[in-house]
Amino acid sequence: MDLFRQKIIAVTGASSGIGLETALAFAREGAVLCVGARRRDLLNDVAARCRETSRDQALPFTLDVTNQQSCKDFIKEIIENYKRLDVLVINAGITMDALSYEVDPSILRELMEVNYFGAIQSVLPAIPYLIESKGTIVVISSITGKRPVPTRSGYCASKYALHGFFESMRLELKSKGVHILMVCPGFTDTEMQNNRRGKDGTPVPNKIPRKYTMSASAVATKIVQATRRRKKEIILSAVGKTIVFLTRWCPPLADYLVCKNMK
């Protein structure tokens, strides 16, 4: 528990889901949380819960990851308040549910703006401070960053892009002592799943059976454990691990199972 006590940990997309639960999980470790998202009313509650849990400080910051200046201001305010940054959790994201040949291209562009460019804009201002602290970057990717699935083409593309960018950054920052953890959850029971973009951008109801999902709190627990152990990547859920394994060693079977279950 002492490893994260009074460490400065920032989480983007912290108003709900994996971001919220990850903030609370680090708060239980005694960390000082800096939570960022667009919905300030929810963030205030998240910060209050973190303070109650950690018995230490927690500050909310209004953050829009698609706005470069907002990302710069987020990191700037953290440094002005605490003079350091130890862990940055890049979590903000959106998803979709539409056939690749029917979806409006604007939806695909939005996915890349939030999931990919939003991650880049969040991390770049933080690099000097993470080098100074020899800190950790935690990137919330997805199983779909390792294995494409039907009706998630734009989401898969954005997550594949994350792996390409941050795996390259890992090599560049290794000698400077900065660690990068890629987190690949499967289907997770979060608010995001109820706000998937349909082919025209309207929300699509969540029809994923609960037996295939993992709770956000369980994902958060794994994130804290992997950050402590400085792991490079974690693949979550038995289903996720099986699909990634089969994708590598038996692609036809992986294709069959993914198509059957997504249908």
Side-chain angles (χ1 to χ4, degrees):
M1 182 170 179
D2 289 341
L3 180 63
F4 297 117
R5 181 170 294 281
Q6 294 193 319
K7 295 295 185 181
I8 311 304
I9 299 181
V11 182
T12 73
S15 59
S16 64
I18 292 174
L20 163 62
E21 294 297 339
T22 300
L24 291 173
F26 276 115
R28 285 192 287 272
E29 299 287 320
V32 174
L33 270 299
C34 302
V35 291
R38 290 178 299 175
R39 297 179 293 181
R40 187 55 183 259
D41 55 334
L42 295 180
L43 270 183
N44 289 336
D45 179 63
V46 173
R49 292 175 65 183
C50 288
R51 285 192 292 270
E52 182 180 357
T53 301
S54 68
R55 305 292 183 184
D56 210 325
Q57 300 180 66
L59 294 180
F61 299 90
T62 303
L63 170 66
D64 178 358
V65 298
T66 65
N67 184 302
Q68 187 175 11
Q69 189 59 51
S70 179
C71 294
K72 290 179 179 179
D73 291 343
F74 177 54
I75 301 301
K76 180 182 177 181
E77 289 187 52
I78 292 171
I79 300 305
E80 286 178 351
N81 278 277
Y82 298 113
K83 313 304 180 188
R84 63 181 289 124
L85 177 61
D86 298 291
V87 179
L88 174 62
V89 181
I90 298 173
N91 168 73
I94 57 174
T95 188
M96 65 172 285
D97 189 348
L99 295 171
S100 59
Y101 52 85
E102 292 183 348
V103 67
D104 190 295
S106 65
I107 306 304
L108 303 178
R109 187 171 291 109
E110 182 186 18
L111 283 156
M112 292 300 290
E113 284 291 342
V114 176
N115 296 354
Y116 177 61
F117 288 108
I120 293 172
Q121 292 181 159
S122 297
V123 75
L124 292 183
I127 293 300
Y129 309 106
L130 291 166
I131 290 175
E132 185 177 343
S133 66
K134 297 189 184 303
T136 297
I137 301 165
V138 179
V139 184
I140 309 303
S141 179
S142 169
I143 294 297
T144 60
K146 310 284 288 183
R147 158 78 233 185
V149 297
T151 74
R152 301 291 194 280
S153 57
Y155 185 68
C156 291
S158 69
K159 296 301 184 178
Y160 267 77
L162 280 183
H163 281 264
F165 183 86
F166 282 99
E167 291 293 347
S168 296
M169 179 175 275
R170 183 204 306 283
L171 299 176
E172 296 165 348
L173 293 177
K174 184 177 180 180
S175 64
K176 300 183 184 298
V178 177
H179 176 64
I180 296 179
L181 164 65
M182 302 298 296
V183 180
C184 301
F187 290 124
T188 309
D189 188 11
T190 67
E191 181 182 317
M192 185 177 77
Q193 292 298 340
N194 294 315
N195 289 287
R196 292 173 293 163
R197 271 61 170 173
K199 63 182 180 180
D200 59 356
T202 55
V204 175
N206 183 16
K207 296 181 180 178
I208 301 170
R210 188 169 291 273
K211 66 179 181 179
Y212 293 126
T213 66
M214 190 172 182
S215 72
S217 60
V219 172
T221 298
K222 296 292 185 181
I223 289 170
V224 172
Q225 292 172 349
T227 304
R228 177 183 289 111
R229 297 170 185 170
R230 292 179 79 83
K231 288 191 172 183
K232 293 182 179 180
E233 180 180 84
I234 52 172
I235 296 171
L236 301 179
S237 83
V239 172
K241 290 177 182 178
T242 300
I243 290 300
V244 171
F245 176 85
L246 291 175
T247 295
R248 181 176 182 181
W249 297 108
C250 190
L253 179 56
D255 287 349
Y256 169 76
L257 292 173
V258 165
C259 290
K260 177 183 178 182
N261 284 290
M262 289 299 288
K263 186 176 181 180

